[in-house]
């Protein structure tokens, strides 16, 4: 039985990856420090004999007994609100945490896939963004702690590949949505759906003309699985190219939820990218992958999930458990 370590396993993407690897017949070691993750996302796996959970902060040395064949490094705060609140932990997990994962991969002879992001392109001057574009990032802006941690992560991953011969994979993830996103993480989709469910107005930042391209989580997981099993060392974009303005997106959520609330405009956060759309030619060519779930379908499933959450979760505050350094 192949053994995989998934870091950030109690988070949105990590928990869906746990499900997928259990389904594929792996033994899954799930690791999380629960600063932004939530055990409720993996509760259904806890009694599975092929699943174990380790409460650990990967910024510190990682110990895993026995064999390890794969590592998926998905530990990081990933929403602007989260990484603005815990910028140093964000920098540490992307840098020190990735270093520890790479060291573990080297020691165990495991193949490692690291979760990078479209944020490495910053506020892009090339549209759509292809993997050859080096990006337009403000290192000292408010998003710098996330963007530069992720850029460092890519650099150290390539160094471990070139210098130590570790088998590495890098996925650049574009905006992704689906069940188990934290309703209060500040990202646009849970923000809008949460507001609709609580009977609040929808907060559009700026004039709503900025664009994003949203990928349904199952499509993303499929792309990641294929990339891990491929022999592609260079970074690969995985995302859905269907681009939409945030203003239009708010209208879609209003229609979907049937809310009678309206849109209100708030100031645009610093360094908020004006446009974002993945160029997925490489993923198509190398992985034979493209997204299958339309936004209409994906949003319907996601809305059902949020609608069925217990009432008190709708009102949960954003909180970060202060994990001891
Ligand atoms: N946004 C918004 N209202 C909100 C939350 C976000 O208009 O309540 C905007 C945000 O300014 C950005 C886009 O939605 O332009 C996507 O934001 P998100 O935080 O989901 O992810 P990003 O792609 O910026 O990392």
């Amino acid at each position: 039985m192949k053994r995989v370590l998934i870091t950030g396993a109690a988070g949105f993407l990590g928990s869906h990856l746990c499900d997928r690897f259990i389904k594929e017949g792996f033994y899954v070691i799930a690791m999380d420090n629960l600063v932004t993750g939530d055990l409720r996302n993996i509760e259904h796996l806890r009694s599975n004999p092929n699943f174990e959970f380790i409460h650990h902060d990967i910024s510190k040395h990682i110990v895993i007994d026995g064999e390890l064949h794969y590592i998926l490094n998905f530990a990081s705060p990933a929403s602007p609100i989260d990484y603005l609140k815990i910028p140093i932990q964000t920098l540490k997990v992307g840098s020190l945490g990735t270093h520890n994962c790479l060291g573990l991969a080297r020691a165990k002879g495991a193949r490692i896939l690291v979760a990078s992001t479209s944020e490495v392109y910053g506020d892009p001057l090339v549209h759509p963004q292809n993997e050859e574009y080096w990006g337009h990032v403000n290192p000292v802006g408010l998003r710098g702690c996330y963007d530069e941690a992720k850029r460092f992560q890519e650099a150290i991953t390539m160094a471990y590949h070139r210098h130590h011969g570790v088998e590495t994979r890098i996925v650049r993830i574009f905006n992704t949505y689906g069940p188990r996103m934290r309703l209060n993480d500040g990202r646009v989709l849970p923000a809008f759906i949460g507001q609709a469910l609580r009977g609040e107005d929808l907060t559009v930042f700026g004039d709503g003309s900025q664009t994003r391209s949203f990928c349904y989580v199952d499509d993303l997981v499929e792309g990641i699985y294929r990339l891990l099993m491929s022999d592609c060392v260079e970074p690969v974009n995985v995302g859905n190219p269907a681009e939409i303005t945030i203003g239009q997106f708010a209208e879609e959520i209003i229609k979907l939820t049937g809310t009678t609330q309206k849109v209100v405009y708030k100031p645009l956060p610093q360094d908020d990218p004006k446009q974002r759309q993945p160029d997925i030619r490489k993923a198509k060519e190398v992985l034979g992958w493209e997204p299958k779930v339309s936004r209409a379908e994906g949003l319907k499933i996601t809305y059902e999930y949020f609608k069925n959450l217990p009432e008190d979760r709708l009102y949960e505050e954003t909180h970060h458990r202060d994990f001891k350094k």
Side-chain angles (χ1 to χ4, degrees):
M1 189 171 221
K2 298 283 186 206
R3 287 159 55 91
V4 57
L5 168 67
I6 300 177
T7 75
F12 164 47
L13 297 183
S15 66
H16 284 281
L17 287 165
C18 289
D19 285 338
R20 176 65 187 259
F21 279 83
I22 285 288
K23 215 168 106 200
E24 296 287 342
F26 286 76
Y27 183 88
V28 173
I29 303 166
M31 187 170 277
D32 206 295
N33 70 351
L34 303 178
V35 167
T36 55
D38 191 326
L39 280 179
R40 288 175 292 199
N41 289 334
I42 47 174
E43 198 51 51
H44 59 290
L45 295 173
R46 296 291 290 272
S47 59
N48 191 311
N50 297 328
F51 181 86
E52 70 178 279
F53 175 73
I54 303 177
H55 186 192
H56 181 68
D57 177 356
I58 62 159
S59 303
K60 298 196 203 85
H61 186 77
I62 306 167
V63 178
I64 300 288
D65 294 330
E67 280 188 312
L68 199 58
H69 303 92
Y70 297 100
I71 299 174
L72 293 151
N73 184 21
F74 278 71
S76 177
S79 83
I81 284 210
D82 284 346
Y83 51 74
L84 295 185
K85 282 197 175 163
I86 43 175
I88 296 169
Q89 276 155 311
T90 303
L91 278 155
K92 283 172 74 176
V93 74
S95 55
L96 308 179
T98 301
H99 185 209
N100 288 331
C101 288
L102 287 163
L104 181 66
R106 184 178 174 220
K108 299 280 187 186
R111 179 180 296 181
I112 177 168
L113 180 146
V114 299
S116 188
T117 162
S118 53
E119 283 288 320
V120 300
Y121 302 121
D123 190 2
L125 304 177
V126 164
H127 195 74
Q129 293 79 55
N130 60 58
E131 291 86 348
E132 280 65 52
Y133 179 48
W134 290 354
H136 178 231
V137 173
N138 176 4
V140 295
L142 292 177
R143 286 178 179 245
C145 61
Y146 184 63
D147 300 7
E148 296 297 357
K150 289 294 185 181
R151 288 167 70 94
F152 174 87
Q153 172 179 257
E154 290 198 6
I156 194 172
T157 298
M158 290 310 292
Y160 263 72
H161 173 69
R162 295 193 181 111
H163 196 70
H164 290 312
V166 172
E167 284 190 45
T168 57
R169 306 286 181 268
I170 299 173
V171 59
R172 289 190 181 145
I173 299 170
F174 284 67
N175 294 67
T176 301
Y177 69 96
R180 303 189 197 145
M181 291 184 95
R182 237 179 43 231
L183 204 47
N184 54 14
D185 79 355
R187 275 181 286 197
V188 66
L189 179 136
F192 286 172
I193 291 187
Q195 286 160 345
L197 288 171
R198 292 187 300 264
E200 299 165 6
D201 291 335
L202 274 61
T203 53
V204 167
F205 298 162
D207 63 4
S209 63
Q210 71 273 33
T211 70
R212 293 294 185 272
S213 308
F214 297 98
C215 183
Y216 186 63
V217 62
D218 288 357
D219 281 334
L220 183 93
V221 165
E222 178 63 27
I224 289 169
Y225 191 81
R226 288 187 190 209
L227 176 59
L228 180 70
M229 298 308 167
S230 79
D231 55 11
C232 184
V233 170
E234 303 295 322
V236 180
N237 288 340
V238 177
N240 189 325
E243 188 180 4
I244 185 174
T245 69
I246 295 302
Q248 289 168 331
F249 191 57
E251 293 306 326
E252 285 191 2
I253 301 290
I254 287 174
K255 235 190 186 161
L256 173 75
T257 58
T259 177
T260 51
Q261 303 299 130
K262 57 183 191 311
V263 163
V264 293
Y265 295 89
K266 297 265 160 126
L268 192 66
Q270 190 197 65
D271 296 333
D272 197 279
K274 281 179 276 308
Q275 50 182 4
R276 190 183 282 154
Q277 183 193 35
D279 179 335
I280 58 164
R281 279 176 298 180
K282 191 167 172 184
K284 277 186 183 161
E285 210 175 287
V286 178
L287 312 177
W289 175 89
E290 63 183 321
K292 299 258 183 291
V293 182
S294 69
R295 205 168 50 243
E297 262 175 288
L299 285 180
K300 221 171 133 216
I301 302 167
T302 308
Y303 178 50
E304 283 304 310
Y305 165 81
F306 282 124
K307 218 169 54 177
N308 291 317
L309 284 177
E311 172 96 359
D312 55 334
R313 285 191 71 178
L314 280 183
Y315 293 90
E316 268 177 4
E317 290 299 313
T318 305
H319 59 282
H320 299 101
R321 295 157 202 92
D322 187 26
F323 204 74
K324 294 283 164 271
K325 311 280 173 310

